[in-house]
Amino acid sequence: MMKNNPFLTVFLLVCIEVLLIKYLDYIDFRMRMGEGLPLAIACFSIPGISLFLTLFIGESKYKKGFKYFTFFIIGISILAFIALSYLAALGRAYQH
């Protein structure tokens, strides 16, 4: 059941990304997550990997479901990027 399951792979990648962001915050890494490239990387790394997996996933019983899941993740990450960019710009405007 767990062998070649792309849903499990994406879930583990999300967990790794969250832990990495928390670790970078813990060590006080001087990068503003709400601006520019780091925000884009945080929002689009998992959908990019998911799209890559969709293209190269052979014949599997998960192929059709994972394709729709990938489109869903891409849509959610585009919305999250727009919302987070807006909130970061709003926060910078209130700082001045």
Side-chain angles (χ1 to χ4, degrees):
M1 180 175 153
M2 297 281 235
K3 186 177 180 183
N4 297 327
N5 189 342
F7 296 105
L8 183 64
T9 304
V10 170
F11 176 73
L12 291 174
L13 286 172
V14 169
C15 292
I16 290 170
E17 183 176 18
V18 167
L19 289 175
L20 181 63
I21 289 171
K22 290 293 183 188
Y23 178 71
L24 290 176
D25 186 43
Y26 174 73
I27 63 171
D28 199 21
F29 191 66
R30 301 287 179 194
M31 180 173 29
R32 298 180 188 182
M33 283 305 290
E35 294 181 0
L37 186 62
L39 178 64
I41 290 172
C43 285
F44 295 116
S45 61
I46 299 297
I49 293 170
S50 178
L51 188 63
F52 183 74
L53 284 174
T54 301
L55 294 175
F56 292 106
I57 195 172
E59 289 300 321
S60 173
K61 62 182 178 180
Y62 302 109
K63 187 170 180 117
K64 185 177 180 181
F66 190 68
K67 185 170 109 177
Y68 293 133
F69 180 67
T70 300
F71 292 143
F72 175 74
I73 286 180
I74 290 171
I76 292 296
S77 47
I78 288 171
L79 290 175
F81 180 73
I82 291 169
L84 291 174
S85 296
Y86 174 74
L87 291 175
L90 192 63
R92 283 190 302 274
Y94 278 117
Q95 277 183 334
H96 294 304

